[in-house]
Amino acid sequence: MNYEVLAQKVLDGYQLTDTEAFAILKSPDEDLLPLLHSAYKIRNHYYGNKVKLNMIINTKSGLCPENCGYCSQSIISKAPIEKYAMMKQDEIVAGAERAASLNVGTYCIVASGRGPVNREIDIVVDSVKAIKEKHNDMTICACLGILKPEQAQKLKEAGVDRYNHNINTSANHHENITTSHTYDDRVRTVELAKEAGISPCSGVIVGMRETQQDVIAMARSLHALDADSIPVNFLNAVDGTPLEGTHDLNPRYCLKVLCLFRFINPTKEIRVSGGREVNLGTLQPLSLYPANSIFLGDYLTTEGQAGEKDRQMLEDLGFEVDLEPLQRELKVN
């Protein structure tokens, strides 16, 4: 396959066939550099050499009634994680101050659970208002689980720019990962955020014993959902979860997955996310040829790479930090 010709066709509005999508995932390792170069052609067309920085604050840890097989915070997990109820406003605002000091463009307020109760929504609303008073140009993303329409509207009115609710896997594979909510529940929450005027963020976790057809279906589903931001996580199988001991990935396959997501979702923010350190290892810098966004710092219950290493990685690549990420994405899309 001539990946560069395919990339140009994508830039001209072409959608990959399943045969072409499979060819990317199954491509021989000796084709990896030409594939990355072609994915970068698409990425560079829309985002240049800019990289968006994101930072998470885990405002509520554990205590979740859902049975997601990958998650250390679920009710069925035996992982020894820290558990605590919703943080106070001053703690959430302090996290935003730290993000601002590091030139992080997007601050992600995350809470475990099926969905927020109104008291938790009120804490987030008050926190976002306080953050926006001082850092109006900071993109605020909330990730609080399944929303009700009135909750989505409150978040929008408070100044929440983006709402994350990952589809995580394909519709076909979903019941193998969790049965306490449906795939459609997740899609409805993304649509609800869109209806409220909030930019939708939805992504996946690769490496949960899915097939390559499932991976292609995930990329196509996110295209159909028109998610502005797509975090691509790679399973970091935590001991004590049902997926403990699952190690189906290698760095080269992870890069091919990122390329596939760029080819199918050319204009979108593709964020290489949780598990990149474990699964990409020394090939992490190559992930930013198809992707244009990363998390800085730790994730929810697992550690990330030291921020100094991430910044050195960007400098060595010759990439720049994108200081106006949301405005840039919405203009692109």
Side-chain angles (χ1 to χ4, degrees):
M1 179 179 289
N2 189 322
Y3 305 109
E4 193 164 3
V5 169
L6 187 60
Q8 186 56 56
K9 288 173 67 177
V10 167
L11 287 173
D12 292 336
Y14 179 74
Q15 268 292 311
L16 267 63
T17 65
D18 272 3
T19 299
E20 291 163 334
F22 273 115
I24 288 174
L25 292 180
K26 294 178 180 291
S27 60
D29 288 345
E30 55 264 33
D31 281 1
L32 185 56
L33 288 180
L35 175 60
L36 285 165
H37 169 73
S38 302
Y40 175 73
K41 181 177 181 179
I42 301 171
R43 178 243 204 269
N44 182 260
H45 177 83
Y46 291 107
Y47 294 100
N49 277 343
K50 300 222 176 252
V51 176
K52 176 181 171 182
L53 300 183
N54 307 259
M55 182 173 285
I56 288 177
I57 182 168
N58 192 12
T59 61
K60 178 184 174 186
S61 182
L63 311 172
C64 182
E66 303 297 289
N67 65 356
C68 303
Y70 55 84
C71 185
S72 60
Q73 302 186 78
S74 78
I75 194 169
I76 58 173
S77 170
K78 298 178 181 177
I81 64 164
E82 187 179 5
K83 298 178 182 180
Y84 48 85
M86 194 75 177
M87 285 181 175
K88 295 179 181 178
Q89 177 182 331
D90 59 349
E91 296 174 286
I92 298 173
V93 173
E97 291 297 331
R98 180 167 183 270
S101 73
L102 295 171
N103 281 330
V104 169
T106 298
Y107 182 56
C108 305
I109 300 172
V110 185
S112 67
R114 178 179 177 85
V117 298
N118 288 336
R119 182 186 66 82
E120 293 167 340
I121 285 286
D122 290 342
I123 292 172
V124 173
V125 162
D126 291 342
S127 299
V128 172
K129 288 178 178 178
I131 293 166
K132 286 289 189 175
E133 283 180 7
K134 190 170 182 181
H135 304 287
N136 189 51
D137 57 343
M138 178 179 283
T139 298
I140 304 294
C141 179
C143 177
L144 311 172
I146 297 172
L147 284 181
K148 299 173 183 176
E150 62 273 18
Q151 292 176 328
Q153 194 58 46
K154 281 185 177 181
L155 293 175
K156 171 64 177 178
E157 291 170 359
V160 170
D161 302 288
R162 173 160 285 166
Y163 196 82
N164 167 261
H165 199 59
N166 292 335
I167 60 169
N168 284 330
T169 191
S170 71
N172 182 64
H173 191 52
H174 185 270
E175 286 190 357
N176 298 322
I177 302 302
T178 181
T179 57
S180 55
H181 59 268
T182 67
Y183 179 85
D184 288 342
D185 287 333
R186 289 188 167 270
V187 170
R188 274 195 295 271
T189 291
V190 177
E191 295 289 4
L192 194 63
K194 290 165 66 176
E195 289 168 12
I198 301 174
S199 172
C201 173
S202 188
V204 300
I205 305 172
V206 178
M208 299 194 296
R209 304 172 186 167
E210 73 279 342
T211 66
Q212 290 186 348
Q213 180 64 67
D214 289 318
V215 174
I216 295 168
M218 294 179 218
R220 293 205 190 282
S221 294
L222 292 168
H223 180 269
L225 268 175
D226 200 26
D228 292 327
S229 177
I230 301 175
V232 180
N233 300 276
F234 298 103
L235 181 68
N236 183 357
V238 177
D239 290 347
T241 63
L243 288 172
E244 174 184 344
T246 304
H247 299 292
D248 293 345
L249 303 174
N250 66 62
R252 301 170 308 285
Y253 179 71
C254 293
L255 290 171
K256 294 169 189 177
V257 167
L258 289 169
C259 289
L260 176 73
F261 273 74
R262 175 56 68 198
F263 271 84
I264 291 180
N265 298 280
T267 68
K268 305 302 186 179
E269 177 207 345
I270 306 292
R271 185 188 318 145
V272 55
S273 299
R276 69 175 164 97
E277 298 85 354
V278 172
N279 289 287
L280 284 162
T282 58
L283 297 191
Q284 283 185 72
L286 295 178
S287 69
L288 288 172
Y289 284 91
N292 64 296
S293 179
I294 58 171
F295 278 112
L296 202 66
D298 296 335
Y299 302 99
L300 295 175
T301 62
T302 57
E303 292 184 356
Q305 181 168 272
E308 296 77 14
K309 287 188 176 181
D310 282 332
R311 290 188 179 279
Q312 187 63 55
M313 178 173 69
L314 298 185
E315 184 178 333
D316 291 347
L317 288 164
F319 287 175
E320 306 172 54
V321 173
D322 191 345
L323 297 178
E324 296 181 345
L326 184 64
Q327 294 83 352
R328 180 183 301 278
E329 289 154 31
L330 297 182
K331 183 178 179 180
V332 164
N333 295 328

